[in-house]
Amino acid sequence: MAEETLLLGMPQLCLAGLSEVWLLKELGHRHWMGLAQLAGRSVPDFRATDGAPVYAAFRALSVEQADFAVLGENDRLTIRTTLCRLTHTQCASRHELTCRGRPVGTVNLVSTFVRRAPRGGNHTVARVALEAFPKLMPPLMALGRAGESLAARAATFRSTGAAPEPRFAAAGLVEDGCVTFDPCPAQDFNGAGFLYFSSFIALIDRAEWHFDGRSAPQATTRRREVYFHGNIDPGERVVVRRLMDERGARERIHHYRLERAGDDLRLADAFTQRVF
């Protein structure tokens, strides 16, 4: 378990409060460093038996009870992080966010260890088990339940298409728009050459703005759940499809799907509740 308090400034903020994309980058780094600590290492340099680099690819994330709009310049954000192993290939982390003792959100991340095939790109990624970690132990209570539940919902969606909540399924999947983006290697890919998981969220936010963001320019995330299915190589494009979007007086809920342009490979599904 680790806890740190950060002073918020322009890099951590956006027009509507705490930047969700910055937050996910920060928590992704904490997850990665926590894996190194769990394996008894000073840095997260993981290798397969043949020496190929191994990375932790995020398979699912959830943002719960977020209140990012209350955070502003010079606020102090406390991040309390706990990490555990779920299976031989999957790990989960839970990040509890508070400001002045008040909860402002919780983020859960589930990752799996992956490697590329020799001389392969991001289309050849496969899971791999590592021996560097302690033997599997019962997951830490709340973290284990949350991580296992998130991983289970992601697996259920991949096999059955079941939405995480009934209200996302109630409206049906009625496609009413799509927009194509050309991710920039200098901005959207991480140092391992993958389209970073936080960039998926940035593309969804850009799509929301493209469709009708001007009607609610300061909408903020209250809850978001994302299931990741694949990745792209630099130079490939991403199609963001709006499958469901319902707007009330004070909130909007939507389901966006990201696909690889050219072969329509599904990259991610995101279910989001935004508040005005």
Side-chain angles (χ1 to χ4, degrees):
M1 184 182 298
E3 182 175 307
E4 186 176 359
T5 298
L6 305 176
L7 179 67
L8 299 182
M10 293 304 103
Q12 296 84 22
L13 299 171
C14 65
L15 180 63
L18 185 69
S19 166
E20 187 178 355
V21 171
W22 169 84
L23 176 66
L24 292 176
K25 288 181 179 181
E26 176 68 23
L27 300 185
H29 178 67
R30 290 170 183 266
H31 181 102
W32 186 225
M33 295 303 295
L35 292 176
Q37 185 178 18
L38 193 64
R41 303 186 178 196
S42 58
V43 294
D45 181 19
F46 297 107
R47 301 277 169 171
T49 54
D50 62 357
V54 172
Y55 300 104
F58 289 107
R59 297 289 283 164
L61 74 83
S62 69
V63 179
E64 304 169 353
Q65 299 299 315
D67 195 6
F68 297 155
V70 302
L71 297 169
E73 189 176 1
N74 300 323
D75 278 334
R76 295 183 180 274
L77 176 68
T78 298
I79 304 174
R80 185 170 181 262
T81 296
T82 312
L83 185 142
C84 75
R85 222 177 151 194
L86 297 179
T87 68
H88 287 288
T89 60
Q90 288 194 116
C91 296
S93 62
R94 183 175 180 85
H95 310 267
E96 298 171 321
L97 313 175
T98 59
C99 181
R100 297 185 294 274
R102 173 189 171 186
V104 292
T106 301
V107 179
N108 291 290
L109 300 172
V110 173
S111 70
T112 187
F113 291 110
V114 300
R115 58 161 293 169
R116 296 183 180 93
R119 295 180 298 278
N122 293 340
H123 297 198
T124 66
V125 170
R127 289 193 185 195
V128 62
L130 294 178
E131 302 299 328
F133 292 87
K135 292 182 179 180
L136 281 172
M137 301 290 289
L140 302 174
M141 292 186 291
L143 168 62
R145 287 195 296 270
E148 288 177 335
S149 179
L150 176 59
R153 289 196 299 274
T156 298
F157 179 82
R158 292 185 188 103
S159 62
T160 69
E165 290 184 15
R167 61 177 171 173
F168 286 108
L173 300 183
V174 180
E175 183 175 340
D176 62 356
C178 68
V179 59
T180 300
F181 295 102
D182 188 5
C184 173
Q187 295 293 328
D188 301 312
F189 287 78
N190 63 15
F194 294 103
L195 183 68
Y196 201 36
F197 80 113
S198 59
S199 297
F200 286 70
I201 308 305
L203 293 178
I204 293 166
D205 286 348
R206 290 189 180 105
E208 181 181 320
W209 177 258
H210 169 80
F211 288 124
D212 49 15
R214 286 165 178 78
S215 62
Q218 295 193 50
T220 61
T221 299
R222 176 60 50 84
R223 182 168 182 223
R224 198 192 298 269
E225 191 150 306
V226 186
Y227 310 139
F228 301 97
H229 315 302
N231 211 277
I232 64 170
D233 289 320
E236 294 182 314
R237 299 189 177 194
V238 176
V239 177
V240 182
R241 301 188 186 278
R242 180 168 64 167
L243 299 180
M244 186 271 282
D245 191 338
E246 287 191 349
R247 180 173 177 175
R250 299 183 62 183
E251 72 168 9
R252 162 175 281 141
I253 62 171
H254 54 61
H255 172 194
Y256 280 74
R257 176 169 294 162
L258 282 69
E259 298 175 352
R260 192 165 62 203
D263 61 4
D264 298 330
L265 176 78
R266 190 182 301 186
L267 300 174
D269 281 270
F271 302 89
T272 306
Q273 176 193 14
R274 303 267 279 173
V275 294
F276 307 138

